[in-house]
Amino acid sequence: MSDPVAASARGRFIVFEGADGTGKSTQAARLAERLDAVLTREPGGTPIGSKIRTLVLDPDHPELDDRTETLLMAADRAQHVAEVIGPALASGRHVVSDRHVASSLAYQGVGRGLGVDAVAAVNAFGLDGVRPDLTVLLVLDTSDAQSRIGSPDRIEAAGSGLARAVADAYRSFAADRSDWVVVDASGSIDAVAERVWSAVEEHLT
Ligand code: TYD
């Protein structure tokens, strides 16, 4: 294992974001292994979060209100910060998370039309000041990404309209942000992993 960020006493928090089907989970796992980091995800990174995940993604509940969806994601995140992310960073471990608050800004704030500022405000309460050191945005053509989705969950079932809005939202979040890096997610898993690694080395050393 080589660690480009070993000098810091506090661990670094690296988040993967992107539309469904861009390969975040695979790349998050690869990076976590290389950094010997805690690998986690939202929603569902804790036992409580896992119950919230089942509820919020259940295709049998199409009546779930968009605001309720937002609050459930924020509740999952609050527990995740308190139970996993905060303690790991404080102990000096790096944390790699498959999604974090930017997912809510993109899916609920833009995709569901609730507003980025409103969704950010709801989430701030649960974040307790925790903030990613680096966000890796994986980008892929929307139809290619959609074709990689197997059996869709409740949110994926919303289809390509939501997916396009989410992809555009992410692009706008990443623009001019030095703590975001945009990585082309096309090609082999190894090729994308190398692009991610170069970006992490460049941004966190
Ligand atoms: P994810 O676990 O990335 O999907 P997969 O089942 O493919 O691994 O995310 C589940 C879904 O939840 C995905 O459609 C994105 C959505 N989501 C939100 O809408 N808001 C959020 O805050 C988060 C974390 C996820």
Side-chain angles (χ1 to χ4, degrees), residues 20 24 42 53 73 77 99 104 107-108 155-156:
D20 293 291
K24 286 175 296 71
E42 294 181 7
R53 181 184 173 95
M73 293 295 187
R77 186 162 297 123
R99 299 194 181 281
S104 282
Y107 282 80
Q108 282 69 50
I155 295 174
E156 287 162 347

Side-chain angles (χ1 to χ4, degrees), residues 162-179:
L162 181 81
R164 280 205 178 81
V166 163
D168 290 349
Y170 275 130
R171 287 264 192 197
S172 75
F173 300 160
D176 304 324
R177 291 276 303 265
S178 59
D179 55 349

Side-chain angles (χ1 to χ4, degrees), residues 31-113:
L31 181 66
E33 193 180 359
R34 204 157 173 180
L35 282 176
D36 191 24
V38 173
L39 173 65
T40 187
R41 68 168 179 174
E42 294 181 7
T46 64
I48 288 169
S50 177
K51 293 188 174 178
I52 295 173
R53 181 184 173 95
T54 302
L55 180 63
V56 78
L57 298 182
D58 188 346
D60 288 341
H61 285 293
E63 78 281 17
L64 188 78
D65 180 74
D66 292 346
R67 286 186 164 78
T68 313
E69 177 180 283
T70 303
L71 292 166
L72 287 170
M73 293 295 187
D76 164 81
R77 186 162 297 123
Q79 187 64 29
H80 193 210
V81 165
E83 188 178 335
V84 176
I85 302 172
L89 295 176
S91 76
R93 295 288 308 276
H94 303 316
V95 175
V96 174
S97 184
D98 179 356
R99 299 194 181 281
H100 188 56
V101 64
S103 285
S104 282
L105 304 182
Y107 282 80
Q108 282 69 50
V110 178
R112 300 299 198 198

Side-chain angles (χ1 to χ4, degrees), residues 7 11 55 62 64 78 91 106 114 131 144 161 168 177 185-186 188 201 204:
L55 180 63
L64 188 78
S91 76
L114 294 176
R131 212 187 142 86
D144 289 349
D168 290 349
R177 291 276 303 265
S186 64
S188 70
E201 277 190 315
L204 292 186

